[in-house]
């Protein structure tokens, strides 16, 4: 198995071949329910193997003394879990395999047993026993070397994720939605932790926290813990990272639990880190509601609906406002990724306690979805006006397993250094990648270690360059003003107007007799011109005199004006009863004015040269600051990093077209010969 273990994908494929034994007894959509828990079981078994004899003898000697084994046995194993059974996968026997395996699993400490409970492993074992494949699978896994000295934890984490992707492909489900490629994981962790390396090194014994609300198989957390461990190799000391997280899917949560059970911290080797990994929906059931963290990281599903969480999220938003997690307006239910932005912000340690920083991987939609005043824009406004967006890094396309779309890493911080205050750094890393020799789904590219270091250096230096822009937070904001034009219309009764009237809803609601009576009356005014207000007085007088016309309402008057109104730019503006200019609804327009620009100056330079009678609707105001115009925010990477490409020379284009025509003619000649 040495060669197999040298490559995590090869090891995962080797493990998955056990599915061949299951054909006929299990549907292919159920293969993962066997392969994944057996992989975890074998890994735990290999980890405990060096201390197995000592644990068994200690348990036997003290079993009847009323002592708490959770206090006695973990110090022996060196991990916060243990197993007191005399069995392992290789010694279950062929005659009572099921009973012995059940006894073996029940002999794990409670924090390890829960892993198999979440897989509903007892029922899976029973099915395998009935199908006559249980003993064979146990023997197969017993032969796979998963000892930590052979398969490091990072490799094992890759194996778990590879198996889950394989399982997802088998059942045609989005099992990779929570899978973050290792290069993206490593980049996010480096961006998150690298700026604080001096703090870590200069403060021996520092204890810090790392939290992932969409922990998946714990890839981010594991990478973060390994990152700080490298500091010990380089500088002789490293901080202690205490991991926290929450996961929605029980099977994935079980993998994360197993991963955390196998991790220890030097200052407290007996601490059970799996106790910090919670099960449930983070948005509607935050099980770490009273906790804040030094570092946060997340890759929430792209474009996933949050309707299952909607009731609880809306309740928190309504009742707690900015005292809770979801203070600004809420995004549309079709995509909940921006809710995780707000959630992470709420989880950052208070600034007076040192503050916190977060890295979150998102698609492009949170940068620009939603117009001024809508939920998405209001969330961006909240983040930018509170100066917590430190940087946004645009990643290459085709680096994720299930999508080729552009992705971004947002860095949030409530402890910005002085030179970053009021600023947002945009980094364009879209061209920083290496092609993969073999595609993994939609993943055709990767970010190399050298490129990761280059991106992190750009972020750390915070200097302007072709790929790095330092923007004022206000640069992303604008006011959406409502621009009106005076109504300059007259009333002309015409055949064309009657055709328009037939399409009006208020007219269609009239009976045939009423329509006929109105038509006869209006035709008496054919081809004559009247001012805008004539319709109302004419219709009211007519309705009073002739009951056959039916009851007059505002909707009918509006329909008559819509049908017979004719725009005439030479007319004076229509004045209402209060002496104010009446706006022409059909000519209403909206303009986005940069926040740094005075709206009247904008009107004068950008609008009036094209529409000299235009004016701003002073009643169209922002709810928050009560200024004229609705405030909005968007972050348009393409605009900021756009490079003008001059058009090609016409002679060059003509030459190419002529060459194509000649090739086509030659091909046609061959066909006709």
């Amino acid at each position: 198995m040495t060669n197999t273990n040298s490559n995590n994908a090869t090891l995962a494929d080797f493990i998955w071949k056990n599915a061949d034994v299951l054909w006929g007894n299990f549907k292919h959509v159920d293969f993962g329910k066997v392969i994944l828990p057996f992989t975890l079981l074998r890994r735990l078994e290999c980890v405990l193997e060096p201390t197995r004899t000592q644990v068994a003898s200690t348990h036997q000697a003290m079993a009847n003394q009323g002592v708490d084994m959770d206090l006695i046995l973990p110090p022996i194993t060196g991990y916060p879990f243990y197993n007191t059974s005399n069995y392992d996968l290789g010694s279950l026997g062929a005659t009572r395999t099921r009973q012995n395996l059940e006894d073996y699993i029940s002999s794990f400490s409670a924090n390890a047993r829960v892993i198999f409970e979440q897989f509903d492993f007892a029922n899976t074992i029973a099915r395998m026993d009935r199908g006559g494949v249980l003993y064979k699978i146990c023997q197969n896994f017993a032969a796979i070397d998963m000892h930590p000295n052979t398969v490091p934890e990072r490799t094992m984490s890759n194996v778990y994720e590879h198996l889950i992707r394989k399982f997802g492909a088998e059942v045609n489900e989005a099992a990779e939605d929570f899978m973050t490629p290792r290069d993206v994981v490593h980049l996010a962790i480096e961006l998150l932790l690298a700026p604080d390396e001096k703090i870590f090194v200069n403060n021996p014994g520092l204890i810090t926290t790392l939290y992932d609300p969409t922990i998946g198989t714990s890839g981010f957390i594991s990478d973060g813990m390994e990152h700080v461990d490298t500091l010990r190799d380089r500088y002789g000391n490293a901080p202690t990272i205490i991991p926290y997280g929450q996961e929605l899917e029980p099977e994935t949560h079980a993998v994360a639990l197993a991963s955390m059970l196998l991790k220890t911290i030097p200052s407290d080797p007996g601490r059970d880190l799996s106790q910090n990994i919670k099960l449930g929906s983070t948005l509607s059931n935050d099980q770490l509601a009273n906790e804040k963290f030094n570092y946060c990281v997340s890759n929430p599903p792209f474009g996933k609906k949050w309707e299952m969480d909607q009731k609880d999220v809306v309740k928190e938003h309504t009742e707690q406002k900015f005292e809770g997690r979801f203070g600004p307006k809420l995004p549309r239910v079709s995509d909940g990724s921006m809710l995780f932005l707000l959630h992470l912000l709420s989880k950052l340690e208070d600034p007076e306690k040192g503050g916190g920083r977060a890295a979150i991987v998102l698609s492009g939609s949170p940068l620009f979805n939603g117009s001024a005043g809508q939920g998405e824009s209001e969330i961006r406004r909240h983040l930018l006006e509170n100066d917590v967006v430190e940087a946004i890094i645009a990643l290459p396309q085709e680096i994720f397993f299930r999508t080729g779309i552009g992705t971004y890493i947002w860095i949030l911080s409530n402890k910005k250094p002085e030179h970053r205050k009021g600023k947002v750094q945009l980094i364009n890393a879209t061209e920083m990648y290496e092609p993969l020799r073999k595609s993994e789904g939609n993943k055709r590219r990767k970010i190399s270690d050298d490129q990761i270091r280059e991106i992190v250096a750009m972020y750390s230096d915070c200097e302007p360059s072709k790929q790095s822009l330092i923007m004022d937070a206000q640069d992303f904001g604008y006011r959406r003003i409502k621009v009106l034009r005076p109504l300059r219309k007259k009333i002309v009764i015409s055949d064309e107007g009657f055709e328009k009237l037939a399409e009006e809803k208020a007219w269609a609601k009239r009976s045939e007799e009423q329509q006929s009576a109105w038509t006869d009356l209006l035709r008496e005014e054919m081809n004559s011109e009247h001012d805008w207000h004539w319709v109302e007085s004419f219709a009211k007088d007519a309705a009073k005199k002739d009951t056959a016309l039916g009851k007059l309402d505002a909707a009918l008057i509006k329909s008559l004006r819509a049908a017979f109104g004719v725009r005439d730019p030479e007319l004076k503006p229509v004045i209402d009863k209060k002496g104010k200019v009446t706006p022409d609804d059909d000519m209403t327009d909206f303009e986005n004015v940069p926040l740094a620009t005075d709206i009247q100056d904008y009107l004068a330079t950008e609008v009036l040269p094209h529409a000299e009678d235009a004016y701003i609707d002073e009643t169209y105001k922002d709810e928050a600051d009560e200024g004229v115009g609705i405030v909005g925010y968007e972050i348009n990477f393409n605009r900021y990093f756009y490079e003008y490409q001059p058009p090609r020379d016409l002679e060059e284009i003509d030459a190419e077209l002529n060459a194509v025509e000649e090739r086509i003619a030659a091909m046609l000649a061959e066909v006709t010969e």
Side-chain angles (χ1 to χ4, degrees), residues 76 255 302 312 346 365 427 438 468 587 601 651:
I76 298 175
V255 176
F302 299 158
D312 294 290
S346 74
S365 59
I427 297 176
K438 182 180 179 182
S468 170
M587 299 184 74
D601 290 344
E651 293 181 358

Side-chain angles (χ1 to χ4, degrees), residues 37-266:
F38 265 101
T39 301
L40 291 170
L41 177 57
R42 177 57 179 160
R43 177 62 168 183
L44 297 180
E45 179 176 275
C46 289
V47 169
L48 294 177
E49 186 174 315
T51 60
R52 179 182 169 192
T53 301
Q54 186 179 357
V55 166
S57 60
T58 302
H59 176 257
Q60 184 177 4
M62 307 186 72
N64 299 319
Q65 297 183 21
V67 297
D68 186 351
M69 292 298 169
D70 289 346
L71 298 176
I72 301 298
L73 299 182
I76 298 175
T77 67
Y79 294 93
F81 71 101
Y82 56 87
N83 187 296
T84 60
S85 175
N86 291 319
Y87 294 111
D88 59 21
L89 285 173
S91 63
L92 295 172
T95 56
R96 291 176 49 84
T97 310
R98 173 184 172 184
Q99 293 87 337
N100 294 342
L101 180 56
E102 289 173 344
D103 176 77
Y104 178 28
I105 293 173
S106 69
S107 298
F108 274 106
S109 52
N111 54 1
R113 282 200 308 273
V114 69
I115 295 170
F116 303 100
E117 291 169 2
Q118 288 183 191
F119 276 107
D120 193 22
F121 199 41
N123 285 329
T124 300
I125 292 172
R127 286 183 61 188
M128 295 173 69
D129 186 45
R130 290 194 298 270
V133 297
L134 180 59
Y135 179 69
K136 176 63 175 175
I137 290 292
C138 289
Q139 290 295 301
N140 286 356
F141 273 91
I144 302 175
D145 186 356
M146 294 187 195
H147 289 79
N149 291 337
T150 306
V151 186
E153 183 57 29
R154 186 167 190 170
T155 300
M156 202 65 227
S157 180
N158 291 343
V159 168
Y160 297 144
E161 296 193 0
H162 189 89
L163 290 174
I164 290 174
R165 290 204 309 274
K166 186 85 172 177
F167 179 37
E170 291 289 331
V171 299
N172 196 29
E173 290 182 353
E176 295 163 349
D177 283 351
F178 53 84
M179 293 297 188
T180 313
R182 282 292 155 180
D183 50 341
V184 179
V185 169
H186 191 49
L187 172 59
I189 289 297
E190 290 287 320
L191 289 166
L192 188 64
L193 299 178
D196 290 343
E197 281 193 1
K198 288 185 179 179
I199 297 175
F200 299 154
V201 173
N202 294 333
N203 293 272
L206 179 68
I207 297 177
T208 191
T209 53
L210 177 60
Y211 166 69
D212 185 347
T214 54
I215 195 170
T217 60
S218 78
F220 275 127
I221 297 292
S222 297
D223 204 85
M225 297 179 76
E226 289 173 15
H227 171 89
V228 298
D229 280 343
T230 63
L231 301 181
R232 186 173 290 104
D233 297 332
R234 283 185 282 164
Y235 304 109
N237 65 73
T240 295
I241 283 193
I242 308 299
Y244 292 83
Q246 188 162 329
E247 172 57 29
L248 176 64
E249 300 296 336
E251 292 85 355
T252 317
H253 178 251
V255 176
L257 288 181
S259 178
M260 291 300 107
L261 277 177
L262 298 174
K263 294 188 182 300
T264 59
I265 53 179

Side-chain angles (χ1 to χ4, degrees), residues 469-494:
L469 301 180
I470 312 301
M471 313 280 290
D472 288 333
Q474 191 183 48
D475 292 341
F476 306 114
Y478 61 90
R479 283 191 181 275
R480 182 174 173 81
I481 61 172
K482 190 175 184 180
V483 179
L484 305 177
R485 300 282 298 280
L487 181 67
R488 301 175 190 270
K489 281 187 177 180
K490 57 189 176 183
I491 301 298
V492 179
I493 308 301
S494 63

